[in-house]
Amino acid sequence: MREIYADVIIDISHEAIDRVFQYIIPEKLEGDVTVGCQVNIPFGRGNSMRKGYVIGISEKAEYDRNRIKPIASVCTDGVAVESRLLSLAGWIKERYGSTMIAAIQTVMPVKKTVKSVVTRYVVLKVDDIDSCEYRYLKKNAKAKLRLIRALKNRDVIPMSEVTGKLAVSSQAVKAMENEGVIEVTESSSYRRVTTDSMENADDREEIILNDIQRKIADEFCSDIDNGIRKTYLLHGVTGSGKTEVYVRCIRKVIEEGRQAIVLIPEIALTYQTVRYFTRYFGDRVTFVNSKLSSGEKYDQFERAKKGEVDVVIGPRSALFTPFERLGLIVIDEEHEGSYKSDNPPKYHARDVALERARVEGASVILGSATPSIESYSRAMAGEFRLWTMNNRAADRPLAQTSIVDLREELRRGNRSIISDELALDIADRLQKKEQVMLFINKRGYNSFVFCRSCGESVKCPHCDVSLAKHIDRNPHGRLICHYCGYSIPEPTVCPSCGSKLIGGYGAGTEKVEQEVNRLFPEARTLRMDRDTTSKKNSHEQILESFGRGEADILIGTQMIVKGHDFANVTLVGILLADLTLFNGDYRSGERTFDLLTQAAGRAGRGDKPGKVLIQTYKPDNYAIVAAADQDYDMFYKTEEAYRSFMRYPPAWNMLVIMAVGGDEEQLANIMDRMYSLIRGKYINEKKLSLVGPSDPAISKIKDMYRKVLYIKHQDYDVLVDIKDSVENWLRDIDESGVNVFFDFNPMNMY
Ligand code: ADP
Ligand code: ZN
Ligand code: ZN
C-alpha cells in the first residue's frame, strides 16, 4: 500500500523541538493536506492535540513506520502559508537565527482566518404595495407601515437602518417576512481601511516629471522591458520628488500585470502615502499596519492574494503580502531603524526584500535622503544602481541652516530651551502667519529626575533604567518606567541622599510646549509624540489639523520629522541636536545625521524659503556639521572610514548573542561555556573578534538578568556558522530557564 507522509513543524517555539516531525497523511485527508497548510496533530507522550504547519510531503518514511502517527485533521480556521513565503521563512531562520516556527509566524502577519463582514438588507417582495399599506393602516401597525412606506421609494434598505432610523423591531421584520411581504438578504464584503479623506484626494493635474525624474523613470522602464531586475538606490534630497519616481515605476510594473509593495518606516506616514498613491491607482491601493483589527488585516491580505489590489503600503511586515506576481518592492527611508525587527528572528526588511525579489524575479528600489552606510557602500561597490537627485523638485532651494551653540547661550544667562535666535525667528513667523515645527528627541515632561547634590537619578528597581516623568494625569507628576510600567509619585527629596535639590533634567515635548506657551501666549500649539498618538487615527488628526493651519507651532519627537509635507512651514527648530549622540552606539553619528537632515527637510516645502535652526552643545561634531551643510558625501566618507577602522558594520559583520534568565549564576555559567565553545571551535580563525560575556547597558528587565557576547568577523557566513553551532549546543544541553537570542548587525547597542 502506498502511503504519503507530511513533514510538520510544531507550533511551539522551543529549541528542543525545533525540527521536522513526520506524520502519516490518512487517505481521507489526501488532497486536503498541502504544503503550507495548518494541521492538528497528536504530539508528545500524552498525544495531546497541537497545531503545526506542513512544510513538505514525501512518500518515504524517515522513521520506523509503526511509530509515525497520523494527522488528525486540517485546521479549518488556519491560514495556509504560501509555499514561496515558506521558503523565505527557511532563509530567515538560517540567516538570523530563530526557531522555524518563529520564522513561519514572521512571514504570516495574519495567522487565522477572520469571517468576512456580513451586511443584511430588507428587500420588498410583493408587487401590490398599496394594498399592503392599506392593510397595515387598518390594523394600526405603525412600525410595519413605516417600513412599507420607506420601501415604496427604495427597493433595498440596510437592516441597520430598518432597526435604527426607522425603529422597526426585529420581531416586526420577522412577521413581515412570514407574511411574504419582504425578504431579508445578506451580502459579505471586505473590510475597507482607507478613509474618505485618503481616497478623495484633490484631483490636481498629473505632475510633469522634471528631467532627472524622467531619466530615472525611463531607465527603470527600459530595464523592465529588457527583462533586467535589480536593486536601485535612489539617493534624493528631501523634497526631490522621490514619491513621484516610485509612482511611475509602480505604474510600469502594474502595466506588466504585476504588483508592488511599498514599505514605509512609520505608521504616521500611512495617511499621506496612501493619499498620494490613491491619486494614481484609486482603490487598487490599500495598506496594512498594527493599528488595524485582525479582520481588517486579514481582508487586505485576501484582497492582495485575489489580485483585487495592486499596491500594498505598510511597515516591514507588509513585505510578506501574498501577491501572486510581485514585480517591485519599494523601501522608502531605507536607512530607518524600524526596518529591523525587535523580536526574533531579528531580520532586516531590506535584506529580506532583496531575497524575496531575487526568488520571485522582482525589482527593488531603496529610497532615502540619507542612505544607510550599508546601502551606499553597496552602491559604491556597483552592487546597486545608484540614482541621485540633488535638487528639490520644482526647483525650490534647500533650506538655509544655522547652528546655535547652547554653551554660549548658557554663558549669556539664557536658561530656556529656546535660544534667543530661535525665539526671534518664531516671533517673526507668528507675525507673518507662517508655521513652525519644533523637534525634540524625547517624550515626557522631563527625560528623568536627577539630584544635583549626589548626581543620582531615580531608577526603576526592576529594570536598571531611569524613570521618566509624566504630568498628564496628575499635577504633582508621576515617574514611570518605559520598560515595565512601574510607577511612583514624584519624590520631593532625593531617595539616595535626602537632598531637596531634585528635579527635572533635560527636556521633553511637554516641557517644550509649556515653554512655548509661556514665551508666546498667543501662539496655538499642537504636540505629537507617543503619548498623544496612542489612539487609532490620532496621527492623522494631528497632522491634518496642522495642515489646515489650525495651529501655528507643531512640537514633536522624531515622528514629525519624517516625510511630512507642509507648504506653510518656514522654520524648523531642532532643540537639542546632541540627544542622539550620547547613547554609546556605533550608529549614533549616523542617526544624528539622519534626524537632522530629515528635520531640515521639513522647512520651506512650499513657495516660501525655509530656515532650519540647530541648537547643540557640540557644534563641532562631524555629524552635526555635515547635517548643517547638508553634505551627505562628507558625512559618508567620514563615517565609512570610522566604521572600517573600528571594524563595525558594514565593513565587518557583527553578531550579538544575548541570553536572558531569572537565575544570575546559571546565566553567567551558560555564557562562560558558550564563550569557551566558540573560542575552542574557531581557535584558528585569526580574524574573529569575540568579546564578553558582559552586562548590557540595561542588565535587568522585569527581574530577568541579561548577558551578551559580541562577535565580529568580516564574513557573514562565519557568523552564521557560529550561530548554528550555538543553536546545536543549546539543543543538546537543553537548559531550561535561559533564553538565547541572536542579533546580526544590530541597530542598537545592548
Ligand atoms: P521626497 O520624498 O523626495 O522628500 P516628495 O516625493 O515628497 O519628496 O516630493 C516633494 C514635493 O514635490 C511633493 O509635493 C511633490 O508633489 C512635488 N513634486 C514632485 N515631483 C514634482 C515635479 N516634477 N514637479 C513639481 N512638483 C513635484
Ligand atoms: Zn541625591
Ligand atoms: Zn521597569
Side-chain angles (χ1 to χ4, degrees), residues 204 206-211 213-214 234-246 248 272 276 279-280 332-333 368-369 389 391-396 563-565 598 601-602 605:
R204 60 173 187 186
E206 188 169 310
I207 283 177
I208 298 163
L209 296 188
N210 61 32
D211 290 349
Q213 288 171 321
R214 165 95 287 141
L234 175 54
H235 175 207
V237 298
T238 49
S240 56
K242 295 186 285 294
T243 321
E244 202 60 38
V245 172
Y246 304 151
R248 302 309 168 102
Q272 65 170 69
Y276 204 112
R279 197 178 287 142
Y280 286 87
D332 193 25
E333 313 284 3
S368 176
M389 302 203 295
N391 299 305
R392 283 192 169 175
D395 259 350
R396 277 174 205 128
H564 308 298
D565 206 355
Q598 301 285 338
R602 297 312 113 212
R605 305 275 285 195

Side-chain angles (χ1 to χ4, degrees), residues 451 454 494 497:
C451 170
C454 74
C494 171
C497 76

Side-chain angles (χ1 to χ4, degrees), residues 35 301 319 431 438 556 622:
V35 171
F301 284 122
L319 193 49
Q431 193 247 325
L438 296 180
Y622 71 99

Side-chain angles (χ1 to χ4, degrees), residues 520-548:
F520 307 100
E522 75 286 5
R524 297 161 304 159
T525 55
L526 264 177
R527 182 160 62 86
M528 183 156 163
D529 53 30
R530 238 194 296 176
D531 297 320
T532 63
T533 55
S534 52
K535 287 204 205 75
K536 194 167 171 172
N537 299 331
S538 47
H539 284 112
E540 289 83 344
Q541 280 156 11
I542 295 173
L543 294 173
E544 278 178 62
S545 164
F546 189 62
R548 284 193 300 265

